Amino acid sequence: MARKIVKSRFFLGGDFIETLAEVPTEEHEKWPANENLKIVGKEVPRIDGYDKVSGSAVFTSDVILPNMVFAKTLRSPLPHAKIKGIDTSNAEELPGVLKIITYQNTSDIPWYYGTTRLFDSTLRYQGDEVACVAATSLKTAEQALKLIEVEYEEMPHVVNAAEAMKTDAPKLHGNNNLVRGEPSIYERGDINKGFAEADAVVEDTYTTQIAVHNPTEVHCSVVNWKGDKLTVWDSTQAVFRVRDQVANSLKIPASNVRIIKKYMGGGFGSKLEAGKYTVMAALLAKELGRPVKILLDRKEMNLAVGNRPDSVQTLKVGAKNDGTLIAMSHYSYGAVGAYPSGAGCSWPLRTIYKCPNVKTEDNSVYINAGRARPMRAPGHVQGTFALDSILDDLAEKLNIDPLEFRLKNYAEIDQVSNEPYTSKLLKEAYQKGAEIIGWNTKRKPAGSDSGIIKRGIGMATQIWWGGGGPPAHATIKLNRDGSLHVASGTQDLGTGTYTIMAQVASEVLGIPIDKISVIIGDTDACPYAGSSGGSTTAASVTPAVRDAAEQMKDKLITGAAAILEVPQPQLIYSAGKVSHKQDSSKQISISDIVQKINENVLITTGARGANPENKAVNSFGAYFAEVEVDTETGKIKVLKVVAAQDVGRVLNRQTLDNQIHGGIIQGIGFALMEERIIDEFTGKILTTSIHNYKLPTIMDAPEIKVIVVSEGDHLINNTGVKGIGEPPIIPTPAAIANAVYNAIGVRVKSLPMTPDKVLEALEKNV
Amino acid sequence: MARKIVKSRFFLGGDFIETLAEVPTEEHEKWPANENLKIVGKEVPRIDGYDKVSGSAVFTSDVILPNMVFAKTLRSPLPHAKIKGIDTSNAEELPGVLKIITYQNTSDIPWYYGTTRLFDSTLRYQGDEVACVAATSLKTAEQALKLIEVEYEEMPHVVNAAEAMKTDAPKLHGNNNLVRGEPSIYERGDINKGFAEADAVVEDTYTTQIAVHNPTEVHCSVVNWKGDKLTVWDSTQAVFRVRDQVANSLKIPASNVRIIKKYMGGGFGSKLEAGKYTVMAALLAKELGRPVKILLDRKEMNLAVGNRPDSVQTLKVGAKNDGTLIAMSHYSYGAVGAYPSGAGCSWPLRTIYKCPNVKTEDNSVYINAGRARPMRAPGHVQGTFALDSILDDLAEKLNIDPLEFRLKNYAEIDQVSNEPYTSKLLKEAYQKGAEIIGWNTKRKPAGSDSGIIKRGIGMATQIWWGGGGPPAHATIKLNRDGSLHVASGTQDLGTGTYTIMAQVASEVLGIPIDKISVIIGDTDACPYAGSSGGSTTAASVTPAVRDAAEQMKDKLITGAAAILEVPQPQLIYSAGKVSHKQDSSKQISISDIVQKINENVLITTGARGANPENKAVNSFGAYFAEVEVDTETGKIKVLKVVAAQDVGRVLNRQTLDNQIHGGIIQGIGFALMEERIIDEFTGKILTTSIHNYKLPTIMDAPEIKVIVVSEGDHLINNTGVKGIGEPPIIPTPAAIANAVYNAIGVRVKSLPMTPDKVLEALEKNV
């Protein structure tokens, strides 16, 4: 099966990355619709389900090594301070304390693009690392932290983006507190001309809060040296990236570092890079010659491992009388914390709807708080909330139904690149979703519901990049007994990667799932795959698995041809054997092929292939929410969400539904209750546990109906998959906000829509 | 780099195996002599040396898992018995005993080709497994063994091959106590005619003893289930074979079993298959839901994990007056213990010397003792001892110098297949070795040395199969920082596999050794390679490594061509970069290629390629020993051994010397002191520890001079390697025996040549 190298590109982290891809010279046969496939698309139970339910799954914190010690981190109690001195002597005398590292005895390791170091003598947020202690027990390590004496010189702090942008605000990195010193600007057409030509214009400001990832599984590492080789069990979405960062920080070859992550309890983007705690643990372990385990507690999870930036978004939108959008502008600023990150949230406005004149300005602002990190659909959740809220207002001003307004402004091509989409079934999603929620039958005019408890229905549109990220590889090993290994250096956050990999291999080779073993999350044992973020995993890894499986099929036919002495074109593969197309008595089982070759195990490695040239690849969704608002208490209850998705092929209906349910529930959290609260005066976080950082529970889950309007999109990759991880959270808060407006006739323009804000809006309206 | 499938074969375990091999359509460039290579052939220190010396290397018995329990095996104290009943109740009551398995509560798992089972109610040797106990400590498990009550019905036993061949001997498997029921016979030409034409004939009988492998590292396993997946840390030379045998015994897919073996303290052939102890531990672990560690003690090592069969060899050799061999016959029998194995030792006679008329008959005989297993150069050590001893006698009868006699009967082509050799530098080895030992200058007529302590010089010839065994694969992963992983599912018994793999990759890609990490011995993480036995590892695995590295070089050039937009034939690779052949300013580093491709890690998998068609591949050696015999005490001291070898290319001069030194010392052990002794009356082994089974120590090591007369043999594989593991032991006892004859003028025809035998021979000669 000949291969060639072609140019490719993929979208990640806000940019297109140019790359090369290795592809077969002949494309693999297009898969038909799922109903004609054997196992792909079906509801296959997770193959790692038993491990998790039985407790036999080894999560990072379950790893126990002989002679292992425990590490804890001392963090700054102040939002902005210099360290004048550290005295660790009392802590060192505590029995069981083995070693303490600080900036005084640790080499200078740059961090966050050189804006700080592993241990910095300047601390820029409550939570910034001061010291790390290794002790024979966790309790001893925790006690030791209290005995470390630090002399701080407090400095003025700023914990509010608006304040931080003022000229007299305390400066974190010596400039104007803007990341890169200036905003990000995007323009097309001429918005002044556009607004001049508009028949109706609406301008308004929306705000969203800082949200914190709070995955179930905390950040943690277990590190173990053997000579100059380091093994790290880490809770990460990015085994290869962590490997490179750790190797680079410790100045050792990447081949000396092994990262292992088999099971994960969520990440949501907070685990896409190496943590300082991992490198600290590695330094301690090297010094002590013992393995080190370091776990973050829930307070550290709320202080120091990332968050979604907040946003203040001022939008101005204008349309013609018939509803055609003519101009849109978007100005925003958001707090990214003390170190470089991005708060941009203007992509939905740039990309969802057809509009010739657009200008956006995103400001990412430093404040003395924990650094932001990508959180499930960065920017898009905030941006879609503001955009779809204000467009509902504009539609109402023009007396046009909101759904009709979306259809009126349907973008047939990518609005930024002007490239055609590989596929776009958003229209079908609108139609199906509207039908199921009862858009035309159940929805009443805004605020017209009688009684104290009012119901409403609202909608929003979702767009996200699809089709996969960085190059990915998968290795398949076929054993003599017909069982299979599938390996790829990817991750399973709880999303179901293990299972879809097995399904794809099973589909191609006809080997039953219970004879397939999947190996992921091990930089030694697996070929490279990218980080699991950006909804890229299924769309990157499954095509690589299919490619490896097709190569294996090819290898079996080639082997059978040599053994049976029949030309290859006369042979056909079907589950478990290769036979002569005309004379089925001439056949050989795959077990026999492997045995006769006396290769105990056949091996192939596949790659994910190239992204299509000059085409935009996106997933789309139309979400409809039905809510109930108690106008006396201000409480919002989400009754139902209908999620209509264009995501290319469904690989596993069960895990896809799980993803959508999870994203919707997380969207409800963002819409109604989650918020990181900082006290302005002290600069300290008030929400440091999940008692006061309010996460949604099963009690908050609505009825959810999922419709997938798409089938495989064969233009994007050989499994036809777009990706599903982030789409479900994106339109959920916006759909809820529009439903609330439809229920009570007043708009809440600030997330989370807590009862006080609802009541305030109602009051203003009286 | 296009690939194709071709037919191939390799020699293993006494047979040629037909196979297929995947090869590049264009052969890799022939490597020049070592002096023109950068790192292959040099004395590179073992890359795993630090791990071993520092104690950080994890051997199987070092593995500790949380909640782990310990298992010990109860073994038959009798050589031949039936179990009438087993009562484990007292043992079960011992606190800490968790589970006991016997034939009564264990499913029937066939073993040794179905001649027995995991637990058989018929026991056929002292050491045969009766029960296995799992307990919370090793001591408790050992105590529990003593509390298991077994009622045995003793049966007549036979522990001597000659006795076992008699018609009235106790029968082990219901026939004539011959494995397969009949001898193995080989013939060519007509020996009757040949002997009739001979001018001189010598007939004599030689005997050799049972020897036991006794590697430093005992047999042991640690087994751990996770759900229905099993991980086994095992001390094995054959990770993939053990995986298949364990999976098959437990009736689970091979993809559910993972075997890991990173460091080994020797095997010598005793670790080429799964041990019953591994499957017993797996059954206990499954039942208990806890990891199980099982270690054999030194007594079990001497009873139950294999041995070299003994031999009684009657040879008859005839030659013309000018020394040309005209006929040779060989009749032998040897004890293989209680289960099927092979005692044949006639290959040296069939293959070393040119002779048109040959007949051999090998009998493998069952006795009530531990089953034989391949032990470093099975058959060849015993066979060469007898053959080279009797040929010295025949040469003396014809008044021809022994060395001249060998040269006279030099085989230019393979004597069995009539195929030409790919290379044969035995003549050069004879000449060089003779020169260094002082064959013509120091050697005196037999027995002519004066004094009580007499010196003598003797020689012998070595032949063994070379060029590699089953197909092998290697995977190479190139990281962005220019560091490398090399992985292959092979083993390092202490031979240096880790290091030569790194050297070969380094040679091709110019990456320094300290940036190369080698991964072996893990059936999940590595592509398939065969078992490490038969001197096949270096010759199988290094060509696969080279192939993977050449493919990587090719991939880098292809990538560079796409990036620089230069046609591939104009590009050249040199350490660390790809440049334009004419314009060196057009270049790109491999780090940049990997980065620009945005493949974080490039991956290739190589295969070892095909063995040459219609050619014999063998290693050859000429060994010369100088000994001192104390004619009063009978003690033999080996002063010096000169080892001249034709082994194709030397990959690492240091590890090659280590192999030769080790093989020679082991050969001295076999020649002078090692012997398993069974008491005929009780049928019990008397040598159950290394106090009474005499292994050579450093005090027995002679001066050793190693000369390698060969360079790379490019006809056999792309690294030109033949293999070196077994050759050094093969001719050593024979050379010593011939040196003893030269010293004292009488022949000792029985190994080991203990002082009593020397004195007896001297006495007979008076």
Side-chain angles (χ1 to χ4, degrees), chain B residues 706-735:
Chain B
V706 178
I707 312 120
V708 178
V709 301
S710 56
E711 289 178 349
D713 181 344
H714 65 263
L715 290 178
I716 55 180
N717 51 44
N718 68 34
T719 49
V721 173
K722 288 187 176 183
I724 188 58
E726 278 144 311
I729 194 178
I730 293 169
T732 298

Short mmCIF file of all heavy atoms in Angstrom, two decimals, chain B residues 706-735:
data_model
loop_
_atom_site.label_atom_id
_atom_site.label_comp_id
_atom_site.label_asym_id
_atom_site.label_seq_id
_atom_site.Cartn_x
_atom_site.Cartn_y
_atom_site.Cartn_z
N VAL B 706 40.76 -13.35 22.46
CA VAL B 706 39.72 -13.46 21.44
C VAL B 706 40.18 -12.81 20.15
O VAL B 706 40.64 -11.66 20.15
CB VAL B 706 38.42 -12.76 21.91
CG1 VAL B 706 37.34 -12.82 20.84
CG2 VAL B 706 37.93 -13.35 23.21
N ILE B 707 40.10 -13.56 19.06
CA ILE B 707 40.40 -12.96 17.75
C ILE B 707 39.17 -13.14 16.87
O ILE B 707 38.65 -14.23 16.76
CB ILE B 707 41.55 -13.69 17.03
CG1 ILE B 707 42.72 -13.90 17.95
CG2 ILE B 707 41.96 -12.94 15.77
CD1 ILE B 707 43.03 -15.36 18.11
N VAL B 708 38.75 -12.07 16.25
CA VAL B 708 37.66 -12.17 15.29
C VAL B 708 38.26 -12.01 13.89
O VAL B 708 38.86 -10.98 13.59
CB VAL B 708 36.59 -11.11 15.54
CG1 VAL B 708 35.50 -11.20 14.49
CG2 VAL B 708 36.01 -11.26 16.94
N VAL B 709 38.10 -13.06 13.08
CA VAL B 709 38.72 -13.03 11.75
C VAL B 709 37.77 -12.49 10.69
O VAL B 709 38.17 -12.27 9.56
CB VAL B 709 39.25 -14.42 11.33
CG1 VAL B 709 40.28 -14.91 12.35
CG2 VAL B 709 38.11 -15.42 11.18
N SER B 710 36.52 -12.29 11.08
CA SER B 710 35.52 -11.94 10.07
C SER B 710 35.17 -10.47 10.09
O SER B 710 35.44 -9.76 11.07
CB SER B 710 34.25 -12.76 10.32
OG SER B 710 33.80 -12.53 11.65
N GLU B 711 34.57 -10.03 9.00
CA GLU B 711 33.95 -8.72 8.95
C GLU B 711 32.46 -8.94 8.64
O GLU B 711 31.97 -10.05 8.77
CB GLU B 711 34.65 -7.84 7.92
CG GLU B 711 36.04 -7.46 8.43
CD GLU B 711 36.85 -6.64 7.46
OE1 GLU B 711 36.45 -6.51 6.28
OE2 GLU B 711 37.91 -6.12 7.87
N GLY B 712 31.77 -7.91 8.27
CA GLY B 712 30.34 -8.08 8.03
C GLY B 712 30.08 -9.02 6.88
O GLY B 712 30.72 -8.95 5.85
N ASP B 713 29.11 -9.92 7.07
CA ASP B 713 28.69 -10.81 5.98
C ASP B 713 27.40 -10.24 5.41
O ASP B 713 26.32 -10.46 5.94
CB ASP B 713 28.48 -12.23 6.53
CG ASP B 713 28.08 -13.20 5.43
OD1 ASP B 713 27.67 -12.76 4.33
OD2 ASP B 713 28.18 -14.42 5.66
N HIS B 714 27.52 -9.48 4.33
CA HIS B 714 26.36 -8.75 3.85
C HIS B 714 25.35 -9.64 3.14
O HIS B 714 24.26 -9.20 2.80
CB HIS B 714 26.80 -7.62 2.92
CG HIS B 714 27.45 -8.11 1.66
ND1 HIS B 714 28.82 -8.18 1.53
CD2 HIS B 714 26.92 -8.56 0.51
CE1 HIS B 714 29.10 -8.67 0.33
NE2 HIS B 714 27.98 -8.90 -0.31
N LEU B 715 25.71 -10.90 2.94
CA LEU B 715 24.74 -11.78 2.28
C LEU B 715 23.64 -12.23 3.24
O LEU B 715 22.60 -12.71 2.81
CB LEU B 715 25.44 -13.01 1.71
CG LEU B 715 26.35 -12.75 0.51
CD1 LEU B 715 27.02 -14.06 0.07
CD2 LEU B 715 25.57 -12.15 -0.65
N ILE B 716 23.89 -12.14 4.53
CA ILE B 716 22.91 -12.73 5.45
C ILE B 716 21.89 -11.74 6.00
O ILE B 716 20.74 -12.08 6.20
CB ILE B 716 23.60 -13.49 6.61
CG1 ILE B 716 24.58 -12.62 7.39
CG2 ILE B 716 24.34 -14.69 6.06
CD1 ILE B 716 25.26 -13.37 8.52
N ASN B 717 22.32 -10.54 6.28
CA ASN B 717 21.36 -9.52 6.74
C ASN B 717 22.04 -8.16 6.63
O ASN B 717 23.23 -8.08 6.35
CB ASN B 717 20.88 -9.79 8.18
CG ASN B 717 22.02 -10.00 9.15
OD1 ASN B 717 23.01 -9.25 9.13
ND2 ASN B 717 21.93 -11.01 9.99
N ASN B 718 21.28 -7.11 6.87
CA ASN B 718 21.81 -5.80 6.55
C ASN B 718 22.80 -5.26 7.57
O ASN B 718 23.38 -4.20 7.39
CB ASN B 718 20.68 -4.79 6.30
CG ASN B 718 19.91 -4.48 7.58
OD1 ASN B 718 20.46 -4.44 8.66
ND2 ASN B 718 18.62 -4.24 7.44
N THR B 719 22.99 -5.99 8.70
CA THR B 719 24.08 -5.57 9.60
C THR B 719 25.26 -6.54 9.50
O THR B 719 26.31 -6.28 10.07
CB THR B 719 23.60 -5.49 11.07
OG1 THR B 719 22.89 -6.69 11.39
CG2 THR B 719 22.68 -4.29 11.27
N GLY B 720 25.06 -7.65 8.79
CA GLY B 720 26.16 -8.58 8.54
C GLY B 720 26.55 -9.42 9.74
O GLY B 720 27.68 -9.88 9.84
N VAL B 721 25.60 -9.64 10.64
CA VAL B 721 25.88 -10.30 11.92
C VAL B 721 25.46 -11.77 11.87
O VAL B 721 24.38 -12.09 11.38
CB VAL B 721 25.08 -9.59 13.04
CG1 VAL B 721 25.19 -10.34 14.35
CG2 VAL B 721 25.59 -8.17 13.20
N LYS B 722 26.29 -12.67 12.39
CA LYS B 722 25.92 -14.08 12.43
C LYS B 722 25.32 -14.49 13.78
O LYS B 722 24.39 -15.27 13.82
CB LYS B 722 27.15 -14.95 12.13
CG LYS B 722 27.60 -14.91 10.68
CD LYS B 722 28.71 -15.92 10.43
CE LYS B 722 29.09 -15.94 8.94
NZ LYS B 722 30.12 -16.97 8.64
N GLY B 723 25.90 -13.98 14.87
CA GLY B 723 25.41 -14.42 16.18
C GLY B 723 26.53 -15.06 16.96
O GLY B 723 27.36 -15.78 16.40
N ILE B 724 26.55 -14.83 18.31
CA ILE B 724 27.73 -15.20 19.09
C ILE B 724 27.39 -15.87 20.41
O ILE B 724 28.27 -16.32 21.14
CB ILE B 724 28.59 -13.92 19.32
CG1 ILE B 724 29.94 -14.25 19.96
CG2 ILE B 724 27.89 -12.90 20.19
CD1 ILE B 724 30.79 -15.19 19.19
N GLY B 725 26.12 -16.02 20.74
CA GLY B 725 25.76 -16.47 22.08
C GLY B 725 26.26 -17.86 22.44
O GLY B 725 26.80 -18.09 23.52
N GLU B 726 26.04 -18.80 21.51
CA GLU B 726 26.40 -20.19 21.83
C GLU B 726 27.78 -20.65 21.39
O GLU B 726 28.40 -21.49 22.05
CB GLU B 726 25.32 -21.12 21.26
CG GLU B 726 24.11 -21.20 22.17
CD GLU B 726 22.79 -21.30 21.44
OE1 GLU B 726 22.57 -20.48 20.51
OE2 GLU B 726 21.99 -22.17 21.80
N PRO B 727 28.28 -20.13 20.28
CA PRO B 727 29.59 -20.59 19.81
C PRO B 727 30.65 -20.79 20.89
O PRO B 727 31.30 -21.83 20.90
CB PRO B 727 29.98 -19.51 18.79
CG PRO B 727 28.67 -19.16 18.15
CD PRO B 727 27.66 -19.23 19.26
N PRO B 728 30.83 -19.87 21.84
CA PRO B 728 32.00 -20.01 22.72
C PRO B 728 31.98 -21.24 23.63
O PRO B 728 33.04 -21.69 24.05
CB PRO B 728 31.96 -18.73 23.59
CG PRO B 728 31.03 -17.81 22.93
CD PRO B 728 30.08 -18.62 22.14
N ILE B 729 30.80 -21.76 23.96
CA ILE B 729 30.80 -22.91 24.85
C ILE B 729 31.07 -24.19 24.08
O ILE B 729 31.58 -25.18 24.62
CB ILE B 729 29.47 -23.03 25.63
CG1 ILE B 729 29.61 -24.02 26.79
CG2 ILE B 729 28.31 -23.41 24.70
CD1 ILE B 729 28.38 -24.16 27.65
N ILE B 730 30.76 -24.18 22.77
CA ILE B 730 30.74 -25.42 22.02
C ILE B 730 32.09 -26.13 21.96
O ILE B 730 32.19 -27.32 22.27
CB ILE B 730 30.18 -25.18 20.60
CG1 ILE B 730 28.70 -24.80 20.68
CG2 ILE B 730 30.39 -26.39 19.69
CD1 ILE B 730 28.11 -24.29 19.38
N PRO B 731 33.16 -25.47 21.55
CA PRO B 731 34.42 -26.20 21.38
C PRO B 731 35.29 -26.22 22.63
O PRO B 731 36.35 -26.83 22.63
CB PRO B 731 35.11 -25.40 20.27
CG PRO B 731 34.64 -24.00 20.49
CD PRO B 731 33.27 -24.08 21.09
N THR B 732 34.85 -25.54 23.67
CA THR B 732 35.73 -25.39 24.83
C THR B 732 36.03 -26.71 25.54
O THR B 732 37.20 -27.04 25.76
CB THR B 732 35.15 -24.34 25.81
OG1 THR B 732 35.09 -23.08 25.13
CG2 THR B 732 36.01 -24.19 27.04
N PRO B 733 35.02 -27.52 25.91
CA PRO B 733 35.37 -28.78 26.56
C PRO B 733 36.21 -29.68 25.66
O PRO B 733 37.12 -30.37 26.13
CB PRO B 733 33.99 -29.41 26.85
CG PRO B 733 33.06 -28.25 26.94
CD PRO B 733 33.55 -27.29 25.92
N ALA B 734 35.90 -29.69 24.36
CA ALA B 734 36.67 -30.53 23.43
C ALA B 734 38.12 -30.09 23.37
O ALA B 734 39.04 -30.90 23.40
CB ALA B 734 36.04 -30.47 22.05
N ALA B 735 38.34 -28.78 23.29
CA ALA B 735 39.71 -28.27 23.23
C ALA B 735 40.45 -28.60 24.53
O ALA B 735 41.64 -28.97 24.50
CB ALA B 735 39.70 -26.76 22.99
#
